[in-house]
Amino acid sequence: MTQDSNLESLRYVDGKMTLLDQLQLPLIVHYDAITSVQDGWDAIREMKVRGAPAIAVAAALSLSVEILSMTKANKFSDTSALKEHALEQLEHLKSSRPTAVNLFNMADWFKVYIEDKYEVLSKDSVLELAEAIDEKAKKMMVDDVSKNKLIGDHGAEAMVKMTQKKDELRVLTHCNTGSLATAGYGTALGVLRSLHAQNLLKRAYCTETRPYLQGARLTAFELSHDKLPGTLIADSMVSMLFKNKMADAVVVGADRIVANGDTANKIGTYQIAISCAYHKIPFFIAAPTTTIDLSLKSGDQIVIEERAATEMKSISGVMFADPDIEVWNPAFDVTPATLITGIITECGTFYKPEGSDTFDLSSQIANIQLV
Ligand SMILES: CSC[C@H]1O[C@H](OP(=O)(O)O)[C@H](O)[C@@H]1O
């Protein structure tokens, strides 16, 4: 990938889908062809594509690829057969990874969309239904980028306001929340991009983010690619950075934000938030509203994915820990709302009501379409 090319986690042209294999980054840039829902499911499960928004868009596009190719092969006798297959495949896609709610919101919303389209089409309008699904999947990809740019600008405004810094900000982020975690621009990394565009970013610190190394392998890659002033640190260096007064704020992404504001995000986020509280550093979440799950009242209800021991004990296939040692490998943790300064979305930044330790997202976003 040349310096001037766009960083694209997903490519979709004329019904043909490819995705950037993030397991091989940053040393190898390779796009895999995705020709079916199962290809999409496998890529999500193996984390060839990852990041809450990117997972949802990749799933939607893999459905469209499959539906289009089956339609062209006359596999559907009528729109009812197409609809039933699409609903089954959306349900299957939901089983690929459990924590990021964007995938579940997308699947449930797409089901309603397909059923509504089915109701108004004649039984033999198979191609029309397939094309409607394709158009909507493509729109999800475009909408994600638009939302991320709004998140970036709202986030930049919120950070300047909270830190009262009129000059350049030094901001820490965790994991990867950029173009490689979304359909483009990014969420928390989008905030850093917007700060940089406004000449307000003095330094972006990114943590390595063990064990998958989203920070060292992906965020560092994005920062260098976009020529943002980036510094890579080990996860264990965060509190020392704060003690040395080297950071003004933190912004991270999210995989699932529940009604009271408790937020599941990459493992290690919780301890960063604790250190922010101790060092009185603002701690922001940045995410599209498709990351919000109002059906859960607190973070204790969030299912935390645990991943394979080999992902903890090896890097790029090279084992470096004792093969027999047991491993605990939760991919996420939950940061309580009390440690969160604000939640930045495409609709603006939400704060806890005066005197409250938690958010009231159900009422704060009552009039917002959540997908
Ligand atoms: C904008 S990406 C949100 C979120 O997704 C990442 O998880 P993973 O790399 O395991 O898919 C990480 O938690 C990011 O903060």
Side-chain angles (χ1 to χ4, degrees), residues 12-289:
Y12 190 72
V13 180
D14 297 334
K16 293 198 183 319
M17 178 183 177
T18 58
L19 65 77
L20 182 54
D21 179 358
Q22 299 189 30
L23 290 172
Q24 301 190 60
L25 286 177
L27 304 182
I28 299 170
V29 175
H30 176 76
Y31 281 83
D32 281 351
I34 300 293
T35 61
S36 67
V37 162
Q38 193 57 45
D39 283 354
W41 192 99
D42 292 341
I44 292 166
R45 182 57 158 256
E46 293 162 24
M47 294 181 69
K48 285 186 174 182
V49 61
R50 31 64 51 200
I55 288 170
V57 175
L61 292 174
S62 72
L63 176 72
S64 180
V65 160
E66 178 168 295
I67 293 295
L68 279 176
S69 63
M70 290 180 72
T71 297
K72 287 170 184 159
N74 296 316
K75 298 288 188 186
F76 300 119
S77 53
D78 57 22
T79 52
S80 176
L82 188 161
K83 171 179 70 83
E84 289 312 314
H85 181 73
L87 299 186
E88 277 168 28
Q89 292 296 66
L90 284 168
E91 203 56 31
H92 177 54
L93 283 161
K94 285 162 73 170
S95 67
S96 54
R97 290 184 74 191
T99 304
V101 73
N102 311 57
L103 173 62
F104 297 80
N105 282 340
M106 178 284 295
D108 294 342
W109 178 81
F110 215 166
K111 284 181 182 176
V112 171
Y113 173 81
I114 292 168
E115 284 166 340
D116 289 350
K117 278 292 175 189
Y118 166 75
E119 289 303 324
V120 300
L121 288 170
S122 62
K123 281 279 191 187
D124 59 356
S125 307
V126 172
L127 180 58
E128 287 82 351
L129 184 53
E131 287 174 343
I133 290 170
D134 185 50
E135 284 309 309
K136 192 51 71 177
K138 287 187 291 193
K139 190 172 184 305
M140 285 183 202
M141 189 175 188
V142 171
D143 287 353
D144 184 57
V145 180
S146 308
K147 289 177 186 175
N148 294 339
K149 289 181 175 169
L150 288 171
I151 290 168
D153 292 346
H154 287 314
E157 184 185 358
M159 290 202 144
V160 169
K161 186 175 155 192
M162 185 56 65
T163 58
Q164 291 300 304
K165 282 201 72 165
K166 296 287 179 261
D167 55 13
E168 298 176 310
L169 283 159
R170 302 153 312 160
V171 185
L172 173 94
T173 194
H174 185 58
C175 195
N176 173 257
T177 58
S179 298
L180 298 174
T182 66
Y185 199 75
T187 56
L189 194 46
V191 172
L192 300 184
R193 286 191 162 107
S194 291
L195 283 168
H196 180 65
Q198 298 171 40
N199 297 315
L200 291 172
L201 183 69
K202 181 172 186 176
R203 183 66 37 187
Y205 290 99
C206 61
T207 56
E208 286 181 314
T209 318
R210 283 271 306 144
Y212 182 98
L213 297 174
Q214 287 93 335
R217 296 192 303 108
L218 307 178
T219 300
F221 182 63
E222 290 205 42
L223 291 171
S224 299
H225 180 273
D226 286 16
K227 298 183 175 52
L228 271 65
T231 298
L232 176 65
I233 65 171
D235 299 333
S236 54
M237 297 172 185
V238 167
S239 292
M240 180 73 161
L241 188 87
F242 293 168
K243 183 174 184 285
N244 287 1
K245 300 195 183 316
M246 294 166 69
D248 303 299
V250 170
V251 61
V252 297
D255 292 86
R256 193 180 296 244
I257 305 167
V258 299
N260 72 351
D262 291 350
T263 296
N265 194 50
K266 185 51 49 202
I267 188 75
T269 302
Y270 175 40
Q271 60 193 29
I272 291 172
I274 291 168
S275 191
C276 280
Y278 180 80
H279 292 281
K280 296 180 176 43
I281 292 172
F283 177 88
F284 286 94
I285 299 288
T289 52

Side-chain angles (χ1 to χ4, degrees), residues 6 132 161 175 227 233 276 291 295 326 342 352 362:
N6 283 329
K161 186 175 155 192
C175 195
K227 298 183 175 52
I233 65 171
C276 280
T291 311
S295 74
E326 293 198 14
K352 295 184 283 270
S362 302

Side-chain angles (χ1 to χ4, degrees), residues 23 209-213 217 308-323 325 327 329:
L23 290 172
T209 318
R210 283 271 306 144
Y212 182 98
L213 297 174
R217 296 192 303 108
T310 49
E311 292 185 5
M312 171 82 80
K313 298 199 278 188
S314 62
I315 292 180
S316 304
V318 178
M319 181 74 79
F320 59 80
D322 181 89
I325 189 69
V327 161
N329 186 13

